[in-house]
């Protein structure tokens, strides 16, 4: 495993979003209600980008079909499709990232 930095801590704020591609892995780094999340960047239902999905009370909604996913677990709220992959944020120095398994 290797630490992969995604951004500087100074850049984070509520409403922050950044889509990041590392090889075949597409991630969305976001902060909502003071909590930082790292999730897969596309909806598992039809691969719609979640970058502009609405976030409300810890749930991100796909902008195409309004499917809701819990940001903390990735679970689809209604259980109709696969959940999102979530990655625990790791803080190292002045950066935030995650552990990349190779």
């Amino acid at each position: 495993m290797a630490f992969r930095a995604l951004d500087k801590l100074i850049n984070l704020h509520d409403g922050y979003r950044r889509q990041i591609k590392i090889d075949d892995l597409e991630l969305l780094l976001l902060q909502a209600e003071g909590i930082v999340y790292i999730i897969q960047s596309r909806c598992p239902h039809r691969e719609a980008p979640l970058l502009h999905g609405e976030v409300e009370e810890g749930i991100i909604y796909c902008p195409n079909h309004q499917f809701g996913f819990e940001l903390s677990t990735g679970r689809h709220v209604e259980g109709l499709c696969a959940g999102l992959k979530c990655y625990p944020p790791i803080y190292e120095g002045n950066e935030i990232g995650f552990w990349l398994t190779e």
Side-chain angles (χ1 to χ4, degrees), residues 50-62:
L50 295 172
L51 182 63
H52 300 294
E54 183 178 332
V55 174
E56 187 175 301
E57 298 181 8
I59 297 172
I60 189 165
Y61 293 91
C62 175

Side-chain angles (χ1 to χ4, degrees), residues 5-9 11-12 16 18 20 29 94-97:
L6 300 176
D7 209 338
K8 303 270 187 215
L9 292 175
N11 295 329
L12 300 178
Y16 172 92
R18 181 174 177 206
I20 300 148
L29 171 64
N94 66 347
E95 296 179 314
I96 187 162

Side-chain angles (χ1 to χ4, degrees), residues 4-54:
R4 289 298 299 255
L6 300 176
D7 209 338
K8 303 270 187 215
L9 292 175
I10 195 167
N11 295 329
L12 300 178
H13 56 83
D14 278 356
Y16 172 92
R17 294 180 190 205
R18 181 174 177 206
Q19 193 167 336
I20 300 148
K21 184 169 172 63
I22 301 171
D23 299 324
D24 293 334
L25 189 60
E26 294 183 38
L27 302 173
L28 180 60
L29 171 64
L30 67 136
Q31 180 173 319
E33 300 171 357
I35 302 171
V36 176
Y37 303 96
I38 304 169
I39 61 172
Q40 74 184 63
S41 69
R42 295 189 172 273
C43 176
H45 174 234
R46 295 248 174 126
E47 298 293 313
L50 295 172
L51 182 63
H52 300 294
E54 183 178 332

